[in-house]
C-alpha cells in the first residue's frame, strides 16, 4: 500500500486576551475546508491551531480580573475550543504556548540561536509609560502619549537580546521574489513586504524583555523572558516535536504546506519566521496565505466589543445552523480583500443561495422522484443532447474547486458550484418534468431528467462538503447516494449514482429566514442585561426594626491605623453629645488622614464590641460595589448628632 502524502496546514495561534469572535472564525474555517478536502483527497493531514498565551497584555488583563495569567487564559482557551467544536473544526492538534513541551523547545531554540551568534545582548530603547510599566515604539504612541492610558511617556532603555534579522535581508528578498516557490499569496503583498520593510532596511529584532514576567524564561539569563515572536512562531514546529519529546512528526510534516492568517501578521510570517528558520538551518514553509479582514459596522472596523455580542458566533450557529454560518463567511470573502459582515447580509445569503437555490433544488428533485416514481427511479432512461450543457459544467467543477479551495480562493470555488446549482434549477424549467409526467411514453425521459438532477446534486454536494460538512451527508441521504459515490474522486464521475436510486424525503435543509423578524430578535437579545447587585434584597421587616436603630451624623476627630491589623482603623468621633471611640475595617481603602475632619453616617446605638482588644461603639456606614468601597460622607455643613432617617 502506498504511503499517504503528508499535508500540514496551520492557523495563527490566537491571543486568548478575550473570547474568540467571528473574525477568528474565518481563518479557522478556511483552514478546516482545506484540511477536510485534503483528507477526502487521500492526504495524511495535520491541521494545527492553538493559542499564543504569553505577553504583557494578558498579564495585565489577568491582574485586572484578579486571577493569575494561567487561570485567565485557561478559561478563554476553553471558549476557543468550545467554539471550534461548535463550528465543526477538525483540527488534529491544539498547541498552547504555555504547554511544557513548547516552553522546553523555545528555550532550546533561543539558546541555539544565541550559541550560533544569531542572538546577541544589547539595549532596548523605547518610550516607557511608568504607570503601565510598558515600553512602546514611537509608532505605537497615540498623539505622543501612551496608547493604553493616554499619559506622558519617557525615553527609557532596558537590557535585551536581539535577533540578527537585518542580515537576512538578501535571502528574504530572494525568497519573496522567487516565482517558482510562489511563497506569499496574494501576490500584491510581496511588493508591500519588499517596499515597506526590506527596502528601508530590516532592523534587528528585540527578542527578550525584563520589564514583565509572563513569558518563557531565557534559561541562561535570569530576569529575561522570550519576547513574543520567537515564542509564537516556533509553535509551528514545536507542535510537531521539534526539540522536544512530546511529539515525533517533525520529519513527516515539516515544512508546512500552508500557513494561513490575515494580512496584519503576514510580515512576521514572511520575514521574521523564515529568518529564524534560516538561522536554525531548518527548511522554510512552502506557502504563506494572508487573507483580508472581516470588517464590522459602518466604520469598517476589524472588530469591536459593541458589535461583538450582536454577532456572537454561538448564537448564530444555534439559530441559523453551523453550516449556514460556515457557508456565508467563506462565500462572502474574496481572497485577499476585506469583507464586511452584517447579519442582514448573512440572512440574504442564506435565503438566496441556500434556501432558494440549493435547498429548493434538492427538495423539488426528491419530491418529483417520489411523486412520479414512488421514490425509486426506473433503470430505463432516455438521455439526450440537451443534457450535455449541465453535465459538462458539472464535469469542470472538481478541478476548479480543488485548485481554488487549495489556494484559499474558497469564495470563487463556491460561486462556481452555485452557478451549476442555478443551471440545474434552470434545467428543471427547461425540461418541465410535470409536463413529461402527463404521458406514460415520456417516463424514460422523465427518469433521465430526474437522474441527471440527482447526480448533479450529488457531485455538487461532494464538493460542498468541506464547507458544509453537516448538511451534505443529509443531502446524500435524501438523494440516495451511498458512500461509494460520495468520495472526492467520484465527484469527477458522471452518473455514479445507482441507476435505480431510491430517494427519501427529509427535513427542509435551509428554512427561509424572515429577515425583519430575525433582525429585531437579535437586537433584543443584544440589549444589555441589567447587572444585578451582589447582595440580593432582604426579606421585608417591621418599621419598628428600622426605628430601633439610631443613625447619626458624626465628625471624625482623629483616625489612626490599629497596630498589627491591616484591616482596622481606630476613630474618635464627635456624635453631637460627646466623643466616642469606634473601629472600622476599612484600612485597605483609606489612609487615616483622608478621613480626619469628615462628617460620616454612623449607627450609634449598637452594643459595644471588642476587636484587637479595643472597644468599638457603633458602626461607620459604608457602601460596597464590587471592588469599590466608600464611607458615606455627609458634607461639612451637617452638624454632628444630626438624625438620619
Ligand atoms: N498571536 C498572534 C499570532 C501569532 S501566529 C504565530 C495574533 N493573534 S490574534 O488573536 O490577534 O489573531 C490574529 C489572527 O486572527 C488574524 O491574523 C486572523 O487570522 C484572525 N482574525 C482576527 N480577526 C479577524 C478579522 N476581523 N477578520 C479576519 N481574520 C481575523 O495575531
Amino acid at each position: 500500500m502506498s504511503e499517504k502524502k503528508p499535508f500540514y496546514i496551520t492557523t495563527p495561534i490566537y491571543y486568548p486576551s478575550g473570547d474568540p469572535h467571528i473574525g477568528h472564525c474565518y481563518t479557522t474555517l478556511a483552514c478546516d475546508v482545506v484540511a477536510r478536502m485534503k483528507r477526502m483527497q487521500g492526504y495524511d493531514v495535520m491541521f494545527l491551531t492553538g493559542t499564543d498565551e504569553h505577553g504583557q497584555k494578558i498579564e495585565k488583563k489577568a491582574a485586572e480580573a484578579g486571577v493569575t495569567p494561567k487561570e485567565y487564559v485557561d478559561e478563554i482557551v476553553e471558549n476557543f475550543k468550545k467554539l471550534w467544536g461548535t463550528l465543526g473544526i477538525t483540527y488534529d492538534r491544539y498547541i498552547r504556548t504555555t504547554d511544557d513541551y513548547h516552553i522546553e523547545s523555545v528555550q532550546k531554540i533561543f539558546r541555539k540561536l544565541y550559541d550560533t551568534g544569531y542572538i546577541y545582548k544589547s539595549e532596548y530603547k523605547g518610550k516607557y509609560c511608568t504607570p503601565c510599566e510598558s515600553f512602546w515604539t514611537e509608532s505605537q504612541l497615540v498623539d505622543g502619549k501612551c496608547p493604553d492610558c493616554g499619559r506622558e511617556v519617557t525615553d527609557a532603555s532596558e537590557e535585551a537580546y536581539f535577533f540578527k534579522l537585518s542580515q537576512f535581508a538578501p535571502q528574504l528578498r530572494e525568497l519573496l521574489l522567487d516565482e517558482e516557490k510562489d511563497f506569499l499569496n496574494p501576490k500584491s503583498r510581496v511588493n508591500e513586504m519588499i517596499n515597506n520593510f526590506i527596502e528601508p532596511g530590516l532592523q534587528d529584532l528585540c527578542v527578550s524583555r525584563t520589564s514583565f514576567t509572563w513569558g518563557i524564561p531565557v534559561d541562561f539569563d535570569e530576569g529575561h523572558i522570550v519576547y513574543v515572536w520567537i515564542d509564537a512562531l516556533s509553535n509551528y514546529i514545536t507542535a510537531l516535536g521539534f526539540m522536544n519529546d512530546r511529539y515525533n512528526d517533525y520529519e513527516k510534516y515539516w515544512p508546512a504546506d500552508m500557513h494561513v492568517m490575515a494580512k496584519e501578521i503576514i510580515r512576521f510570517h514572511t520575514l521574521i519566521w523564515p529568518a529564524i528558520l534560516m538561522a536554525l538551518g531548518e527548511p522554510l514553509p512552502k506557502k504563506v496565505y494572508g487573507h483580508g479582514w472581516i470588517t464590522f459596522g459602518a466604520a469598517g472596523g476589524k472588530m469591536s466589543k459593541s458589535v461583538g455580542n450582536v454577532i456572537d458566533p454561538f448564537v448564530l450557529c444555534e439559530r441559523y445552523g453551523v453550516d449556514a454560518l460556515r457557508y456565508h463567511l467563506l462565500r462572502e470573502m474574496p481572497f485577499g480583500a476585506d469583507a464586511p459582515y452584517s447579519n442582514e447580509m448573512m440572512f440574504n445569503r442564506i435565503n438566496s443561495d441556500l434556501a432558494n437555490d440549493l435547498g429548493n433544488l434538492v427538495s423539488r428533485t426528491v419530491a418529483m422522484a417520489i411523486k412520479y416514481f414512488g421514490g425509486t427511479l426506473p433503470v430505463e432512461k432516455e438521455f439526450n443532447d440537451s443534457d450535455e450543457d449541465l453535465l459538462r459544467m458539472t464535469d469542470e467543477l472538481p478541478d476548479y474547486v480543488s485548485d481554488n479551495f487549495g489556494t484559499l480562493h474558497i469564495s470563487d470555488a463556491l460561486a462556481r458550484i452555485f452557478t451549476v446549482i442555478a443551471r440545474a434549477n434552470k434545467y428543471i424549467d427547461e425540461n418541465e418534468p410535470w409536463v413529461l409526467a402527463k404521458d406514460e411514453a415520456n417516463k424514460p425521459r422523465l427518469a433521465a431528467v430526474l437522474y441527471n438532477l440527482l447526480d448533479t446534486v450529488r457531485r455538487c454536494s461532494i464538493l460542498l462538503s468541506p464547507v458544509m460538512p453537516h448538511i451534505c451527508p443529509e443531502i446524500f441521504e435524501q438523494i440516495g447516494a451511498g458512500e461509494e459515490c460520495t468520495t472526492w474522486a467520484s465527484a469527477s464521475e458522471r452518473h455514479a449514482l445507482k441507476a435505480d436510486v431510491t430517494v427519501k424525503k427529509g427535513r427542509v435543509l435551509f428554512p427561509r429566514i424572515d429577515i425583519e423578524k430575525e433582525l429585531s430578535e437579535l437586537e433584543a437579545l443584544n440589549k444589555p442585561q441589567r447587572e444585578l447587585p451582589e447582595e440580593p434584597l432582604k426579606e421585608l421587616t417591621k418599621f419598628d426594626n428600622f426605628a430601633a436603630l439610631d443613625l447619626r451624623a458624626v465628625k471624625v476627630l482623629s483616625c489612626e491605623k490599629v497596630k498589627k491589623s491591616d484591616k482596622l482603623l481606630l476613630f474618635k468621633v464627635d456624635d453631637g453629645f460627646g466623643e466616642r471611640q469606634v473601629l472600622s475595617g476599612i484600612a485597605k481603602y483609606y489612609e487615616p488622614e483622608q478621613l480626619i475632619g469628615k462628617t460620616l453616617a454612623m449607627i450609634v446605638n449598637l452594643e459595644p464590641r471588642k476587636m484587637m482588644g479595643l472597644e468599638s461603639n457603633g458602626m461607620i456606614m459604608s457602601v460596597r460595589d464590587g471592588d469599590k468601597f466608600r464611607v458615606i460622607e455627609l458634607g461639612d455643613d451637617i452638624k454632628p448628632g444630626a438624625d438620619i432617617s
Side-chain angles (χ1 to χ4, degrees):
M1 208 180 84
S2 69
E3 279 269 295
K4 279 184 171 185
K5 234 178 125 197
F7 183 85
Y8 182 29
I9 182 166
T10 67
T11 73
I13 45 171
Y14 304 108
Y15 291 129
S17 50
D19 279 334
H21 56 66
I22 205 145
H24 298 113
C25 296
Y26 178 78
T27 317
T28 315
L29 282 172
C31 290
D32 190 56
V33 168
V34 180
R36 284 177 182 269
M37 177 183 76
K38 292 284 175 184
R39 286 190 202 105
M40 289 176 82
Q41 292 176 337
Y43 285 83
D44 174 350
V45 172
M46 170 59 73
F47 170 14
L48 176 74
T49 189
T51 27
D52 184 2
E53 307 186 6
H54 294 121
Q56 201 166 8
K57 185 163 176 197
I58 284 171
E59 191 176 76
K60 262 194 204 168
K61 289 237 172 180
E64 278 160 27
V67 293
T68 64
K70 184 64 169 42
E71 283 166 347
Y72 182 82
V73 293
D74 279 352
E75 196 178 320
I76 295 178
V77 167
E78 275 317 299
N79 293 336
F80 269 93
K81 289 185 173 172
K82 195 169 143 210
L83 181 57
W84 300 154
T86 301
L87 285 174
I89 303 295
T90 54
Y91 61 83
D92 297 291
R93 208 163 276 177
Y94 191 103
I95 184 165
R96 302 183 56 176
T97 54
T98 50
D99 287 338
D100 288 345
Y101 71 89
H102 174 77
I103 293 173
E104 179 194 332
S105 291
V106 168
Q107 288 179 327
K108 288 183 184 160
I109 288 170
F110 198 95
R111 183 187 280 271
K112 178 164 181 193
L113 292 173
Y114 180 72
D115 288 345
T116 47
Y118 289 107
I119 281 180
Y120 61 94
K121 199 170 184 173
S122 178
E123 213 169 55
Y124 176 77
K125 293 198 183 68
K127 302 286 176 187
Y128 191 71
C129 173
T130 313
C132 293
E133 295 178 7
S134 299
F135 269 101
W136 303 105
T137 59
E138 194 82 51
S139 64
Q140 286 173 315
L141 300 180
V142 177
D143 298 331
K145 304 218 166 89
C146 170
D148 261 11
C149 71
R151 280 180 276 209
E152 294 294 335
V153 291
T154 50
D155 286 317
S157 61
E158 66 174 24
E159 190 185 75
Y161 286 93
F162 283 79
F163 172 66
K164 285 188 183 164
L165 181 62
S166 57
Q167 86 174 51
F168 292 94
Q171 293 101 301
L172 292 170
R173 179 199 294 274
E174 201 182 313
L175 170 69
L176 284 162
L177 290 175
D178 188 327
E179 300 230 334
E180 207 171 308
K181 282 207 176 102
D182 192 23
F183 180 64
L184 168 59
N185 272 287
K187 282 274 146 292
S188 57
R189 299 276 165 207
V190 171
N191 288 337
E192 190 184 313
M193 291 305 120
I194 292 186
N195 297 338
N196 296 357
F197 301 106
I198 297 186
E199 288 293 334
L202 284 178
Q203 304 289 315
D204 285 352
L205 181 75
C206 177
V207 289
S208 85
R209 286 298 166 85
T210 54
S211 51
F212 61 97
T213 55
W214 179 236
I216 299 180
V218 174
D219 60 0
F220 55 87
D221 195 348
E222 207 183 315
H224 283 266
I225 57 153
V226 179
Y227 180 59
V228 199
W229 288 102
I230 290 195
D231 174 3
L233 290 162
S234 303
N235 91 86
Y236 300 129
I237 53 178
T238 64
L240 299 177
F242 182 77
M243 290 194 167
N244 69 66
D245 295 331
R246 174 75 166 78
Y247 295 110
N248 194 21
D249 18 42
Y250 180 70
E251 296 303 323
K252 179 164 170 195
Y253 292 112
W254 192 256
D257 294 272
M258 290 172 83
H259 285 320
V260 182
M261 69 213 61
K263 56 189 179 184
E264 82 290 348
I265 52 174
I266 291 177
R267 168 156 82 101
F268 306 103
H269 286 77
T270 57
L271 301 174
I272 299 176
W273 182 222
I276 293 174
L277 289 164
M278 287 173 194
L280 288 170
E282 298 298 326
L284 307 185
K286 292 181 200 157
K287 307 256 181 209
V288 170
Y289 287 91
H291 58 73
W293 284 336
I294 296 186
T295 59
F296 304 91
K302 194 171 150 210
M303 183 72 193
S304 84
K305 266 261 144 61
S306 56
V307 288
N309 313 338
V310 200
I311 47 171
D312 178 340
F314 288 107
V315 173
L316 295 179
C317 286
E318 193 183 300
R319 294 176 76 97
Y320 315 109
V322 176
D323 284 9
L325 178 62
R326 288 176 66 110
Y327 174 77
H328 173 67
L329 290 179
L330 293 161
R331 173 69 183 85
E332 205 54 42
M333 182 122 107
F335 180 62
D338 288 351
Y341 176 89
S342 80
N343 289 326
E344 192 173 352
M345 284 162 71
M346 161 144 148
F347 298 156
N348 279 319
R349 181 68 79 190
I350 293 177
N351 282 351
S352 67
D353 293 12
L354 300 183
N356 275 2
D357 295 352
L358 176 60
N360 254 344
L361 174 64
V362 176
S363 67
R364 282 165 92 189
T365 309
V366 168
M368 288 190 288
I370 292 172
K371 184 166 174 197
Y372 302 136
F373 294 108
T376 301
L377 295 190
V379 173
E380 192 194 340
K381 300 191 184 73
E382 184 190 316
F383 295 104
N384 67 34
D385 287 349
S386 70
D387 300 333
E388 200 48 34
D389 190 41
L390 174 66
L391 297 188
R392 191 191 37 78
M393 274 178 83
T394 319
D395 288 343
E396 288 167 2
L397 267 187
D399 284 347
Y400 184 84
V401 170
S402 177
D403 290 348
N404 282 279
F405 276 180
T407 52
L408 235 60
H409 292 76
I410 299 173
S411 170
D412 294 342
L414 289 173
R416 179 69 81 88
I417 298 173
F418 275 79
T419 58
V420 175
I421 289 169
R423 181 67 190 86
N425 274 317
K426 194 168 151 229
Y427 177 85
I428 299 182
D429 299 336
E430 286 165 357
N431 284 283
E432 299 181 307
W434 46 93
V435 176
L436 292 174
K438 286 189 182 139
D439 187 344
E440 195 59 28
N442 291 331
K443 280 282 162 102
R445 177 62 196 150
L446 178 58
V449 168
L450 295 183
Y451 182 76
N452 277 332
L453 288 167
L454 290 171
D455 203 54
T456 304
V457 169
R458 174 188 69 85
R459 298 173 74 185
C460 290
S461 302
I462 292 171
L463 303 176
L464 281 173
S465 54
V467 174
M468 296 197 279
H470 308 90
I471 291 280
C472 291
E474 282 192 57
I475 297 179
F476 295 141
E477 187 158 331
Q478 293 195 20
I479 63 167
E483 263 175 40
E484 72 295 343
C485 62
T486 56
T487 61
W488 191 266
S490 71
S492 301
E493 281 170 52
R494 274 189 188 186
H495 293 172
L497 205 56
K498 265 190 1 199
D500 59 346
V501 59
T502 301
V503 302
K504 197 166 134 195
K505 195 171 159 42
R507 67 171 184 119
V508 177
L509 296 170
F510 303 100
R512 271 192 78 80
I513 292 177
D514 178 339
I515 297 183
E516 291 302 315
K517 178 170 154 276
E518 286 302 323
L519 286 175
S520 66
E521 282 189 26
L522 280 185
E523 198 158 316
L525 272 183
N526 192 44
K527 284 254 157 58
Q529 302 276 325
R530 203 189 156 118
E531 208 178 303
L532 295 178
E534 272 172 41
E535 278 292 317
L537 290 173
K538 293 189 175 136
E539 278 178 30
L540 294 180
T541 187
K542 295 254 177 302
F543 183 79
D544 287 354
N545 289 339
F546 169 70
L549 291 175
D550 196 353
L551 299 164
R552 302 280 178 157
V554 298
K555 192 172 175 86
V556 179
L557 302 172
S558 69
C559 177
E560 60 190 76
K561 287 194 166 146
V562 172
K563 283 198 192 76
K564 295 205 179 131
S565 165
D566 48 9
K567 283 208 190 108
L568 289 176
L569 291 181
L570 174 69
F571 292 82
K572 293 270 173 7
V573 300
D574 178 358
D575 64 13
F577 298 88
E579 203 178 295
R580 64 164 73 211
Q581 170 170 303
V582 63
L583 289 156
S584 182
I586 59 177
K588 246 185 23 199
Y589 307 101
Y590 289 98
E591 291 301 324
E593 307 75 63
Q594 286 177 279
L595 296 170
I596 296 170
K598 292 268 153 79
T599 304
L600 307 179
M602 181 167 147
I603 309 172
V604 294
N605 64 335
L606 288 180
E607 287 173 356
R609 279 209 297 165
K610 276 212 160 162
M611 287 179 265
M612 304 285 288
L614 297 162
E615 189 171 288
S616 180
N617 297 283
M619 189 160 101
I620 291 173
M621 295 176 74
S622 57
V623 57
R624 178 192 295 281
D625 172 14
D627 49 9
K628 291 194 281 292
F629 184 92
R630 313 244 164 88
V631 291
I632 301 178
E633 276 188 49
L634 297 175
D636 293 345
D637 54 339
I638 300 294
K639 279 206 282 297
D643 189 45
I644 302 173
S645 58

